[in-house]
């Protein structure tokens, strides 16, 4: 995930290539091991043990896909990549809906950070694309989340997600209204606009 | 004495047996209420998801059309709620907590929709009417209505910000005037330190943010029309 922080339009290709390889490595090594460990047991039974790790993977994989193509990597797509890792005679570990959705929620936080970063580099359009994307995810999840098991965690993630959306929207607003005068301001560490809020300095 | 004890324990048992029956009945009623309230919540979420599209500059009439379809459902659900409560007359307030926050959310969405359409505030009686409620039998609590209005105000700054990003520089002024009037009207109420009071306080911050957006837009001369110089320059570059 640290790699993505360094992503900019100049080094995009090479960073993405490295990221892609890293993701593959995680898949091949860690997921394969996970599958071997879980063999023979019910995936749901031990979910609490591996769920956080899986969520992180979902976050990384969807982030990667977005940087690559601006689209959302679906659950089916991710699971398809996992199938080859296990013995064909055994049931492959498939990520379940809940972990996917939880991972997606964390993705939006990363995207928000990236959007704010892109804006300070002057890449407004990319930030706007992220804005649209995150809005869409938030909206879709809004209808799905209340039906989830133990939706309590997810509910607070939804609030955080909305705050991320609002931060991105506010940044796009500031750029639009202030135009070119805004971008150098971000670089100079000048007092941040009330709209971004101090919380951004994380 | 043994006979006496027997009598005492018998009436004690009787009391608790009667309690058990009553509480089971009210629990059953609660379950019925809960079921309907969950439908109300679902419908409200759908309305909310639809209304969110105005942040993405979808045309208002289109967005409202879809949302309006759900109001029909809401009316139905509140009707069912009223029916259920008819079974136990005089206990509206006992169970009111079970639909309080959901109703506040409903009012908030309805009021936002109304404002998008007309630029005015949805009044209490209109809100009641839309939901098929009437204050004599099963009505809309004034406090729920007011809290719902505060929730609506909370969404306005975000709306204004996104409208300006989309190039609608008139929006801040309209919202600012609306919120100023609304806030002033609320100040006429003598609110105590409860939930509604806190929501009212948050309206002050909503108003302040809208004012800031308005000034931002004004001092850059955007209100007279045309895009900010920065955007023009960027467009020139690309």
């Amino acid at each position: 995930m640290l790699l993505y922080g360094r992503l900019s339009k100049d080094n995009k290709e090479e960073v993405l290539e490295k990221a892609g390889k890293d993701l593959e490595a995680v898949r091949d090594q860690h997921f394969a091991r996970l599958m071997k460990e879980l063999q023979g047991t019910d995936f749901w039974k031990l979910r609490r043990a591996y769920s956080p790790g899986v969520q992180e993977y979902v976050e990384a994989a969807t982030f990667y896909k977005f940087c690559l193509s601006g689209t959302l990597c679906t659950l089916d797509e991710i699971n398809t990549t996992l199938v080859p890792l296990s013995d064909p005679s055994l049931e492959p570990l498939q990520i379940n809906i809940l972990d996917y959705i939880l991972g997606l929620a964390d993705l939006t936080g990363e995207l928000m950070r990236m959007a704010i970063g892109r804006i300070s580099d002057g890449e407004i359009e990319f930030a706007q694309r992220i804005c649209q994307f995150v809005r869409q995810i938030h909206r879709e999840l809004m209808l799905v989340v209340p039906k989830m098991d133990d939706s309590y965690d997810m509910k607070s993630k939804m609030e955080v997600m909305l705050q991320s959306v609002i931060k991105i929207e506010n940044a796009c607003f500031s750029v639009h209204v202030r135009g070119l005068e805004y971008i150098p301001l971000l670089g100079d560490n000048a007092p941040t606009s009330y709209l971004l809020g101090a919380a951004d300095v994380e | 004495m043994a006979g006496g004890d027997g009598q005492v324990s018998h009436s004690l048992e009787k009391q608790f047996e009667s309690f058990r029956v009553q509480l089971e009945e009210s629990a059953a009623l609660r379950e019925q209420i809960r079921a309907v309230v969950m439908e109300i919540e679902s419908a409200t979420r759908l309305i909310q998801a639809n209304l969110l599209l105005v942040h993405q500059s979808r045309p208002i009439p289109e967005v409202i059309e879809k949302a309006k379809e759900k109001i029909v459902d809401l009316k139905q659900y509140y009707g069912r709620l009223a029916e259920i409560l008819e079974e136990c007359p005089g206990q509206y307030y006992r169970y009111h907590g079970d639909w309080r926050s959901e109703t506040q959310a409903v009012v908030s969405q309805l009021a936002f929709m109304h404002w998008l359409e007309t630029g005015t505030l949805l009044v209490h009686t209109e809100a009641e009417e839309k939901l098929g409620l009437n204050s004599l039998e099963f009505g809309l609590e004034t406090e729920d209505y007011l809290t719902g209005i505060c929730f609506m105000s909370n969404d306005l700054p975000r709306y204004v910000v996104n409208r300006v990003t989309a190039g609608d520089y008139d929006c801040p002024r309209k919202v600012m005037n609306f919120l100023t009037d609304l806030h002033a009207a609320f100040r006429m109420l003598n609110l105590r330190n409860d939930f509604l009071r806190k929501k009212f306080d948050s309206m002050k911050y909503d108003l302040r943010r809208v004012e800031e957006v308005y000034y931002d837009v004004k001092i850059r001369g955007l209100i007279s029309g045309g895009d900010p110089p920065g955007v023009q320059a960027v467009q020139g570059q690309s």
Side-chain angles (χ1 to χ4, degrees):
Chain A
M1 296 298 300
L2 284 175
L3 267 182
Y4 298 122
R6 287 185 252 125
L7 188 66
S8 77
K9 59 177 184 280
D10 305 322
N11 63 15
K12 184 173 176 185
E13 295 227 358
E14 113 201 10
V15 170
L16 282 179
E17 217 194 289
K18 172 125 191 353
K21 294 216 175 84
D22 287 345
L23 244 132
E24 261 183 62
V26 167
R27 257 205 318 268
D28 294 340
Q29 292 162 22
H30 303 294
F31 260 100
R33 269 183 61 193
L34 180 63
M35 286 206 212
K36 274 173 71 177
E37 295 285 339
L38 289 174
Q39 237 183 72
T41 35
D42 189 309
F43 293 141
W44 285 104
K45 187 169 175 190
L46 296 175
R47 184 186 154 224
R48 272 167 61 188
Y50 62 78
S51 176
V54 165
Q55 289 173 38
E56 287 265 359
Y57 178 77
V58 167
E59 188 189 338
T62 47
F63 195 50
Y64 173 68
K65 182 79 194 283
F66 181 78
C67 292
L68 211 52
S69 65
T71 59
L72 176 68
C73 190
T74 65
L75 178 55
D76 286 338
E77 282 168 7
I78 297 187
N79 278 333
T80 311
T81 64
L82 294 178
V83 169
L85 294 177
S86 70
D87 201 303
S89 65
L90 303 167
E91 196 184 324
L93 175 65
Q94 297 280 272
I95 299 179
N96 63 68
I97 297 181
L98 305 176
D99 290 332
Y100 175 75
I101 293 181
L102 288 163
L104 216 52
D106 297 332
L107 166 70
T108 57
E110 284 305 318
L111 285 178
M112 183 267 294
R113 275 175 270 273
M114 188 162 82
I116 308 285
R118 278 318 110 243
I119 287 182
S120 65
D121 287 346
E123 286 177 70
I124 305 162
E125 277 179 46
F126 194 41
Q128 284 172 336
R129 283 226 315 257
I130 295 182
C131 190
Q132 269 301 94
F133 184 70
V134 178
R135 265 187 193 145
Q136 212 180 350
I137 293 189
H138 174 259
R139 203 173 147 257
E140 297 293 345
L141 283 183
M142 218 180 90
L143 295 171
V144 157
V145 159
K147 318 271 184 191
M148 277 171 76
D149 330 354
D150 315 321
S151 61
Y152 183 73
D153 280 339
M154 194 59 203
K155 285 207 175 103
S156 52
K157 287 199 187 207
M158 286 302 286
E159 292 205 15
V160 171
M161 198 188 300
L162 181 59
Q163 290 311 308
S164 293
V165 171
I166 290 178
K167 281 185 189 151
I168 303 176
E169 287 174 349
N170 286 341
C172 290
F173 161 87
S174 292
V175 171
H176 178 87
V177 161
R178 287 156 213 201
L180 298 174
E181 113 199 25
Y182 179 75
I183 292 158
L185 264 186
L186 272 178
D188 286 350
N189 254 339
T192 348
S193 140
Y194 61 86
L195 285 174
L196 279 188
D200 265 20
V201 185
E202 272 152 335
Chain B
M1 289 309 275
D5 276 348
Q7 268 184 332
V8 164
S9 78
H10 179 64
S11 66
L12 183 142
E13 275 174 32
K14 254 186 91 169
Q15 178 191 236
F16 281 90
E17 173 59 23
S18 144
F19 283 171
R20 189 181 65 77
V21 168
Q22 283 180 53
L23 290 176
E24 267 182 23
E25 278 173 11
S26 63
L29 200 75
R30 272 236 147 80
E31 273 180 37
Q32 282 184 55
I33 294 177
R34 197 72 225 141
V36 178
V37 166
M38 279 176 64
E39 304 266 25
I40 292 180
E41 210 180 359
S42 227
T44 310
R45 237 180 295 117
L46 281 166
I47 294 180
Q48 192 183 2
N50 268 308
L51 290 182
L52 279 183
L53 292 172
V54 299
H55 292 284
Q56 298 169 232
S57 303
R58 236 18 119 73
I60 291 180
E62 180 189 313
V63 165
I64 293 193
E65 262 325 293
K66 289 220 73 185
K68 276 198 173 144
E69 290 167 22
K70 283 285 146 200
I71 299 188
V72 175
D73 293 343
L74 280 178
K75 212 167 169 174
Q76 227 182 2
Y77 300 137
Y78 275 102
R80 273 205 278 189
L81 221 47
E83 272 169 37
I84 295 175
L85 264 300
E86 259 167 44
E87 307 284 312
C88 50
Q91 300 209 36
Y92 175 94
Y93 285 103
R94 178 177 181 185
Y95 299 106
H96 170 238
D98 289 359
W99 62 82
R100 183 194 300 125
S101 53
E102 290 78 10
T103 304
Q104 290 167 358
V106 167
V107 168
S108 155
Q109 296 307 312
L110 289 183
F112 187 44
M113 222 189 306
H114 183 90
W115 181 82
L116 285 171
E117 254 185 318
T118 68
T120 64
L121 178 70
L122 177 72
V123 297
H124 178 261
T125 41
E126 256 188 281
E128 253 183 348
E129 218 182 318
K130 277 192 200 266
L131 295 173
L133 302 172
N134 81 72
S135 46
L136 294 172
E137 294 157 15
F138 188 107
L140 173 62
E141 271 307 290
T142 307
E143 287 191 1
D144 291 343
Y145 163 78
L146 289 172
T147 309
I149 298 298
C150 292
F151 279 126
M152 175 203 61
S153 132
N154 292 156
D155 283 338
L156 288 176
R158 181 175 174 218
Y159 178 67
V160 169
V161 161
N162 291 326
R163 287 306 296 153
V164 169
T165 310
D168 174 3
Y169 305 114
D170 214 27
C171 187
R173 181 187 50 84
K174 287 196 274 197
V175 174
M176 188 174 81
N177 291 339
F178 174 71
L179 260 191
T180 306
D181 290 343
L182 187 62
H183 189 252
F186 257 84
R187 281 172 60 195
M188 289 197 281
L189 303 170
N190 194 7
L191 297 174
R192 306 283 180 238
N193 272 330
D194 62 356
F195 184 68
L196 178 53
R197 173 63 194 271
K198 292 199 180 72
K199 293 310 302 170
F200 163 62
D201 287 339
S202 73
M203 195 191 289
K204 196 183 359 168
Y205 295 107
D206 298 332
L207 178 53
R208 189 172 303 167
R209 286 177 60 201
V210 173
E211 280 173 349
E212 284 170 335
V213 173
Y214 172 72
Y215 294 144
D216 251 338
V217 160
K218 185 159 191 199
I219 59 177
R220 286 179 177 80
L222 295 171
I223 296 197
S224 41
D227 285 309
V231 172
Q232 284 168 2
V234 168
Q235 283 169 352
Q237 280 173 7
S238 58

